[in-house]
Amino acid sequence: MLTIDNLHAEIGGKAILKGLNLEVPAGEVHAIMGPNGAGKSTLANVLGGKPGYDVTSGSVQFKGEDLFELDPHERAATGLFLGFQYPVEIPGVSNVQFLREAANSQRKYRGEDPLSGGEFLKLAKEKAGLLKLDMEMLKRQVNVGFSGGEKKRAEMVQMGILDPSFAVLDETDSGLDIDALRVVGDGINAIMRKPDKGVLLITHYQRLLDVVKPDRVSILAGGRIVQTGGPELALKLEAEGYNAVMADA
Amino acid sequence: MRLWPMPDAATLSLPTRRDEAWRYADMDALARIGAPALDQWESISVLAGETWHHSMVVGSDTPELHRFRVTLGEGARAELFVTNAGQDFARVEVEVALGRGAHFEFGGVTIGGGNAVREFVTKTVHAEPEATSNQTVRSVHWGAGTGNFLGEIKVARDAQKTDAAQDFKALLLEAGASANAVPQLEIFADDVKCAHGATVGQLDEDARYYMAARGLSPDTAQHLLVQAFLGDAFVELEDETKREELLNAALKALEGASL
């Protein structure tokens, strides 16, 4: 579903990704763990198409398409969802307005009919309920005045509404207390744990992986995938730390 | 008390850039309007306790000048809301004299590209105590378009407990566009609140990327962000139909932009 081949990328002339290879087939949750500065967020941003990141070589195939041929909004419409580590505040724009425009922009790109106001609200209510987010929050401005945890839950409500086929979730667990972590994890499972969907779960900690059980775990260090294994690799990292595990490899 | 000078021979000549209130005006356009037409004022006198509402869209392809002189009696209220989307020089000028406890509310938007100058010029005279005024201007420009807000506030010696606020924000969508804010405060009373702020910036790149990541095209994202930005100018306009009308006129100007 997502195939990353020998990806090199840099920011402001500084090389961050240095030959990254990764394949995530449909039906899999692939966790990416790694020390600070390894390039985890850069990977998410390059996949999303954030301005300022230069891909110097390599390729990414997404659902059979060359991802880098698509603009960021086209990537989204093709089914790629990027869960932000730091969701952006948009003063003056309500969540409802933002998400309805987003959903309908994606549908238009795919040649589908737009959702009516009623259809959209029904969908939004259902997904907000799934993430235990008060529907009133969705009437407020996008992420403005939201706590860290509320922002992350709102991200997952967005994901539920947009119903992507692939999600890249960049430290979605950061800023969450234990209860919220469970809610968010359950949300990810409910929305994305399907045979025709895939997830790249970028995280520092095992605790999210206790809820969203990964099929594969990779360690990203120095801009490359240095080790890949099953769920036990995450447990080993948690117990022994990156240095010890990577030294063993 | 006579607040306004009577027209004399001097006002029938064209102003120059040395005149503070005309500093950023389009002098060629003024010449096309002609000196006699420049001295046309609409006078509005609002009696004690009454309210004057006015909203307008300015946006033709010839130079436009609209000048209002408003006198507010005790506890009177004036509300003026304007979308200035002129494709040529367009200036809306207001002089307000506030009586005791009166309120002046002004919300304005300048929007457009090309090389036209759109401006608001206000002179708010707090002549008596306890009057309040609130002015909010939002400018969005591209191409070589310009938006100006020249806001003069005068607080007379007796006008204690005056509360006057002025807020200007400009969003420049392209490097060639410009915005000028000239707040001018002249305060002779000592127990007053006068707040003014002016900022000029660009569209929030992080917000644009975030919106793109959710599937919004650059045009749609820009439309939403500009709409949100402009909204502040009309927050105090209670008539929803008129608010939509002014906002839609502004957004229609944006649609004409090929950015």
Side-chain angles (χ1 to χ4, degrees):
Chain A
M1 186 164 220
L2 184 81
T3 307
I4 304 173
D5 183 33
N6 193 29
L7 183 61
H8 289 74
E10 55 184 47
I11 315 169
K14 186 170 186 277
I16 309 285
L17 300 183
K18 302 167 184 170
L20 190 145
N21 295 296
L22 188 73
E23 180 151 11
V24 185
E28 269 198 25
V29 172
H30 196 127
I32 300 272
M33 305 182 80
N36 291 323
K40 299 190 298 296
S41 286
T42 297
L43 174 61
N45 287 328
V46 166
L47 293 175
K50 185 172 185 178
Y53 290 77
D54 295 320
V55 174
T56 48
S57 68
S59 70
V60 177
Q61 294 287 317
F62 174 55
K63 292 166 83 177
E65 289 197 60
D66 178 352
L67 190 72
F68 297 143
E69 286 294 309
L70 301 174
D71 286 337
H73 70 284
E74 296 171 330
R75 297 179 194 190
T78 305
L80 183 73
F81 180 88
L82 182 59
F84 280 56
Q85 184 178 359
Y86 303 108
V88 179
E89 296 182 5
I90 312 178
V93 179
S94 77
N95 282 284
V96 168
Q97 184 186 20
F98 172 51
L99 289 169
R100 193 176 160 203
E101 291 275 2
N104 282 339
S105 291
Q106 292 200 13
R107 294 175 74 90
K108 190 176 168 193
Y109 182 85
R110 298 192 293 257
E112 299 164 10
D113 287 337
L115 293 173
S116 70
E119 287 168 329
F120 174 78
L121 282 178
K122 188 167 168 251
L123 180 66
K125 209 172 264 178
E126 180 201 327
K127 302 304 173 186
L130 185 67
L131 271 303
K132 298 186 168 52
L133 195 75
D134 191 339
M135 194 55 197
E136 285 302 307
M137 298 280 291
L138 291 188
K139 292 178 185 157
R140 285 164 50 183
Q141 303 171 68
V142 179
N143 292 319
V144 176
F146 285 25
S147 70
E150 285 166 345
K151 283 181 183 172
K152 294 301 176 74
R153 268 192 285 162
E155 285 286 280
M156 295 302 101
V157 173
Q158 294 186 14
M159 185 170 78
I161 290 169
L162 298 172
D163 193 26
S165 47
F166 197 95
V168 177
L169 303 178
D170 188 8
E171 297 199 19
T172 294
D173 50 349
S174 68
L176 295 179
D177 62 34
I178 294 163
D179 294 345
L181 186 81
R182 166 67 62 179
V183 170
V184 164
D186 287 344
I188 296 170
N189 287 331
I191 298 161
M192 299 304 297
R193 259 294 181 199
K194 299 191 173 152
D196 56 345
K197 293 189 174 197
V199 177
L200 196 60
L201 197 60
I202 297 171
T203 182
H204 266 298
Y205 305 105
Q206 168 63 32
R207 51 181 202 170
L208 179 62
L209 304 183
D210 290 336
V211 187
V212 184
K213 300 210 164 21
D215 300 286
R216 310 284 288 162
V217 175
S218 287
I219 302 174
L220 173 59
R224 304 161 69 163
I225 300 295
V226 295
Q227 204 174 336
T228 297
E232 71 286 350
L233 183 58
L235 293 168
K236 197 171 172 207
L237 281 172
E238 185 84 354
E240 299 174 21
Y242 290 112
N243 287 338
V245 172
M246 289 193 291
D248 284 352
Chain B
M1 180 170 55
R2 210 177 76 190
L3 286 163
W4 319 116
M6 296 301 284
D8 55 29
T11 61
L12 291 178
S13 61
L14 287 170
T16 70
R17 283 245 167 82
R18 258 181 287 177
D19 184 344
E20 192 58 41
W22 298 90
R23 202 164 134 188
Y24 299 104
D26 179 340
M27 292 300 155
D28 292 341
L30 286 177
R32 276 183 283 146
I33 293 174
L38 279 182
D39 200 44
Q40 304 291 320
W41 291 84
E42 188 179 329
S43 291
I44 295 111
S45 184
V46 189
L47 299 176
E50 298 199 344
T51 300
W52 174 69
H53 300 278
H54 190 60
S55 68
M56 62 196 278
V57 174
V58 177
S60 70
D61 52 7
T62 53
E64 281 189 62
L65 175 65
H66 301 269
R67 313 181 91 177
F68 298 94
R69 274 193 181 133
V70 185
T71 309
L72 296 178
E74 186 170 335
R77 188 177 170 92
E79 294 181 2
L80 176 64
F81 296 95
V82 185
T83 289
N84 183 343
Q87 295 155 62
D88 199 329
F89 176 63
R91 172 177 171 116
V92 176
E93 198 172 338
V94 196
E95 296 188 353
V96 186
L98 296 102
R100 178 184 284 268
H103 179 76
F104 171 51
E105 185 71 42
F106 175 64
V109 162
T110 71
I111 186 163
N115 56 8
V117 175
R118 297 101 181 155
E119 60 185 8
F120 292 119
V121 180
T122 65
K123 181 176 175 180
T124 310
V125 181
H126 285 262
E128 294 178 22
E130 292 161 15
T132 53
S133 61
N134 185 42
Q135 304 175 56
T136 308
V137 174
R138 295 290 179 266
S139 294
V140 177
H141 296 287
W142 56 92
T146 299
N148 302 326
F149 178 34
L150 289 77
E152 188 180 352
I153 295 176
K154 282 174 179 282
V155 181
R157 197 174 302 277
D158 296 336
Q160 302 296 357
K161 307 282 183 197
T162 288
D163 189 342
Q166 227 178 51
D167 180 45
F168 174 79
K169 284 187 184 143
L171 200 52
L172 303 179
L173 304 180
E174 288 181 319
S178 57
N180 301 291
V182 186
Q184 239 186 307
L185 278 68
E186 206 181 287
I187 302 167
F188 290 107
D190 48 21
D191 183 12
V192 301
K193 267 202 273 184
C194 283
H196 68 93
T199 60
V200 178
Q202 277 108 43
L203 275 181
D204 181 345
E205 282 305 316
D206 287 338
R208 291 179 88 179
Y209 171 57
Y210 187 62
M211 294 170 111
R214 297 294 172 259
L216 294 170
S217 68
D219 279 355
T220 313
Q222 177 170 277
H223 185 96
L224 275 181
L225 289 172
V226 169
Q227 188 178 354
F229 177 79
L230 296 178
D232 290 350
F234 304 133
V235 163
E236 298 295 332
L237 176 54
E238 278 178 21
D239 184 330
E240 201 173 323
T241 314
K242 284 188 175 154
R243 197 167 61 218
E244 295 276 302
E245 202 175 290
L246 292 184
L247 200 55
N248 287 341
L251 291 169
K252 195 162 169 256
L254 181 71
E255 278 166 25
S258 50
L259 297 168

